[in-house]
Amino acid sequence: MSVQKVVAERWEKLTGHYLLEGYGLTECSPLVSVNPYDITEHTGSIGLPVPSTDVRIVDDAGNDAALGAPGELWIRGPQVMMGYWQQPEATEEVLKNGWLLSGDIVTVDPKGFMRIVDRKKDMILVSGFNVYPNEIEDVLMQHSKVREAAAIGVSSDLSGEAVKVCIVKKEATLTKEELLDHCRRQLTGYKVPKIIEFRYELPKNNIGKILRRQLRDEAKRSVS
């Protein structure tokens, strides 16, 4: 997952050093890209592909995405796995003609630097528009009274899906109205959350990553 701007800023303020961000996944042993060590600030980029590694940014139609447009990151190189152990069907889903389909949506700038947009499976479709949870969470985390935030898509009769956010407060005085005002100032209308839920904690895996899938499953069970 991408590093949120507010996290990078807090890290630099605390340590006096910026975060040198990179990208990897288990299926790639695990490094794919990293920023050059001599960059003097955190840019939000996951850097450039490491040596002997090729990447493609592929749109929904299977074509190379236009420069700057979001698309799925495909990876080819010596670090890409041969396949999942005794799982041929799962392997076939992610390995295509030597390319690993990462499931991550990224953009690339004219200099070749990549940025993570979000996980493909986490994308929310609101009235035909793609909404990426990372963008919403990044805005929410900029509010001084928010400790943690997660955005998911939930079923909607009006728009197909609607944006729901789950919030852990940093300050007890935080209200839904405050959050909505904050989001309306920074997000396009269809990206503004329709549902806000306050929680004492958010589900996480063993490395501290918020489990959006679990939140989506809980939301589905609540309406079934």
Side-chain angles (χ1 to χ4, degrees):
M1 62 187 296
S2 58
V3 175
Q4 294 170 337
K5 181 180 178 181
V6 67
V7 173
E9 290 174 346
R10 288 174 183 170
W11 174 268
E12 187 170 358
K13 183 178 180 180
L14 179 66
T15 67
H17 300 279
Y18 66 93
L19 284 172
L20 185 68
E21 194 170 356
Y23 167 83
L25 61 167
T26 303
E27 291 86 347
C28 288
S29 310
L31 190 61
V32 174
S33 67
V34 70
N35 276 285
Y37 72 91
D38 56 351
I39 288 181
T40 57
E41 62 180 354
H42 180 265
T43 64
S45 165
I46 56 172
L48 303 165
V50 296
S52 302
T53 300
D54 298 322
V55 299
R56 290 181 62 194
I57 314 300
V58 180
D59 63 22
D60 290 338
N63 302 314
D64 290 332
L67 185 65
E72 184 178 11
L73 176 61
W74 290 19
I75 305 152
R76 182 174 65 187
Q79 75 274 50
V80 174
M81 69 172 185
M82 296 176 64
Y84 296 115
W85 176 249
Q86 295 184 347
Q87 298 183 59
E89 293 181 358
T91 298
E92 189 175 346
E93 287 181 6
V94 300
L95 290 179
K96 308 288 185 183
N97 298 319
W99 292 91
L100 173 75
L101 282 58
S102 71
D104 287 312
I105 303 296
V106 306
T107 61
V108 62
D109 68 19
K111 293 183 178 180
F113 285 82
M114 298 184 291
R115 284 174 171 76
I116 293 179
V117 177
D118 221 316
R119 289 290 293 167
K120 186 175 182 178
K121 63 184 179 182
D122 288 340
M123 186 179 69
I124 305 166
L125 194 63
V126 179
S127 298
F129 294 98
N130 293 343
V131 178
Y132 296 101
N134 273 344
E135 179 184 3
I136 299 167
E137 292 166 2
D138 194 48
V139 167
L140 290 167
M141 289 297 294
Q142 292 173 36
H143 196 291
S144 61
K145 296 182 181 180
V146 172
R147 184 177 302 280
E148 293 179 334
I152 60 171
V154 294
S155 180
S156 168
D157 293 334
L158 295 176
S159 56
E161 283 189 304
V163 177
K164 174 181 177 179
V165 295
C166 300
I167 304 293
V168 177
K169 297 181 182 182
K170 183 183 291 184
E171 295 184 22
T173 58
L174 177 64
T175 66
K176 294 181 180 180
E177 289 71 25
E178 278 185 86
L179 279 180
L180 286 174
D181 288 342
H182 175 73
C183 289
R184 288 182 183 124
R185 288 194 296 268
Q186 301 190 57
L187 294 170
T188 306
Y190 65 87
K191 298 178 181 179
V192 174
K194 299 299 182 186
I195 304 169
I196 297 175
E197 179 182 300
F198 291 122
R199 293 184 169 222
Y200 291 109
E201 61 181 2
L202 297 177
K204 300 181 181 72
N205 64 11
N206 57 1
I207 60 171
K209 185 175 180 180
I210 294 171
L211 298 173
R212 292 177 186 153
R213 179 180 177 181
Q214 186 170 325
L215 293 171
R216 289 196 299 268
D217 290 344
E218 291 175 10
K220 288 177 182 178
R221 288 196 297 269
S222 68
V223 297
S224 61

